[in-house]
Amino acid sequence: NVDPNLMYVSGKTIKKSINGGIDWTDVTQAVTGQSEVFSSVMVNHPNHQGYVWFLSALEKYGERGHYDGKITIYNPTTGDFEVLYDSDDNLVVDSYVMMDIEVSPSNQDKIYYAGLRLYTIRPNNPENYKVLHISSYMTDSELGYIHGDIRDFVIAESTSGDDWLYIGNDGGLRKG
């Protein structure tokens, strides 16, 4: 049962409303462990009602604009935020300007996130971490050519139960 009055917005901070957007409370610390982040995005999915996934870019390191990342989930059963994957698991966000997160319609444990590259992971299991798209200007064996700077993507479930990814980037639209 989903509460229509429960709302979240994210950016440099993450806010929560329990009264349909009339009043907002800062929950950035509860979600990320920090009072402010470089950026955060979130997703919920109608097949996984009440759950909300957050991807946050935390501390910058290196010269190329890489950030320690964190993926957190709001669990409606417990009412808590749970860290699924973070920099201790080598989670890297490669762009805080262009980042997105999506969840498989058929498996809430299969998470995709993107920035300059496209990744899929299964929480707290580094053996299932996989880079789906490695380079901005190379053809990937599974997805074919995908230009870098992924701006947005969505996932649709195929009739066979596989995930279809529709990726919007600086090079156009790609189905993978």
Side-chain angles (χ1 to χ4, degrees):
N1 205 5
V2 178
D3 181 355
N5 290 310
L6 179 61
M7 304 169 77
Y8 292 94
V9 294
S10 65
K12 290 183 78 60
T13 60
I14 301 168
K15 309 282 187 180
K16 173 183 177 180
S17 175
I18 57 173
N19 58 9
I22 296 170
D23 299 303
W24 294 91
T25 303
D26 190 322
V27 294
T28 311
Q29 186 76 37
V31 175
T32 68
Q34 297 182 191
S35 60
E36 187 175 277
V37 297
F38 281 94
S39 186
S40 63
V41 292
M42 57 184 221
V43 68
N44 59 358
H45 195 283
N47 290 5
H48 316 298
Q49 290 193 0
Y51 288 86
V52 182
W53 289 262
F54 299 88
L55 170 63
S56 302
L58 307 176
E59 301 296 323
K60 182 177 180 179
Y61 67 91
E63 297 296 318
R64 303 275 308 171
H66 291 87
Y67 298 80
D68 288 336
K70 183 175 280 191
I71 293 178
T72 311
I73 186 172
Y74 171 75
N75 184 330
T77 305
T78 64
D80 294 326
F81 297 102
E82 302 167 12
V83 175
L84 298 178
Y85 215 76
D86 63 15
S87 57
D88 291 340
D89 302 304
N90 297 315
L91 182 74
V92 174
V93 177
D94 53 20
S95 172
Y96 77 91
V97 176
M98 298 162 290
M99 57 188 241
D100 198 5
I101 185 169
E102 292 290 338
V103 178
S104 170
S106 60
N107 181 353
Q108 73 180 37
D109 291 330
K110 190 170 186 182
I111 300 168
Y112 298 85
Y113 77 97
L116 298 177
R117 297 164 186 83
L118 177 65
Y119 304 85
T120 182
I121 59 174
R122 291 180 188 253
N124 297 321
N125 191 346
E127 289 78 36
N128 285 328
Y129 173 84
K130 183 177 180 185
V131 178
L132 290 179
H133 169 57
I134 298 168
S135 174
S136 297
Y137 304 100
M138 291 180 62
T139 299
D140 181 89
S141 60
E142 286 186 41
L143 296 177
Y145 176 80
I146 301 175
H147 184 83
D149 301 347
I150 297 171
R151 303 293 179 167
D152 196 13
F153 71 103
V154 294
I155 302 171
E157 189 174 5
S158 72
T159 54
S160 65
D162 295 328
D163 292 335
W164 286 350
L165 282 72
Y166 296 89
I167 302 161
N169 57 46
D170 288 357
L173 181 64
R174 172 84 175 124
K175 178 183 171 190

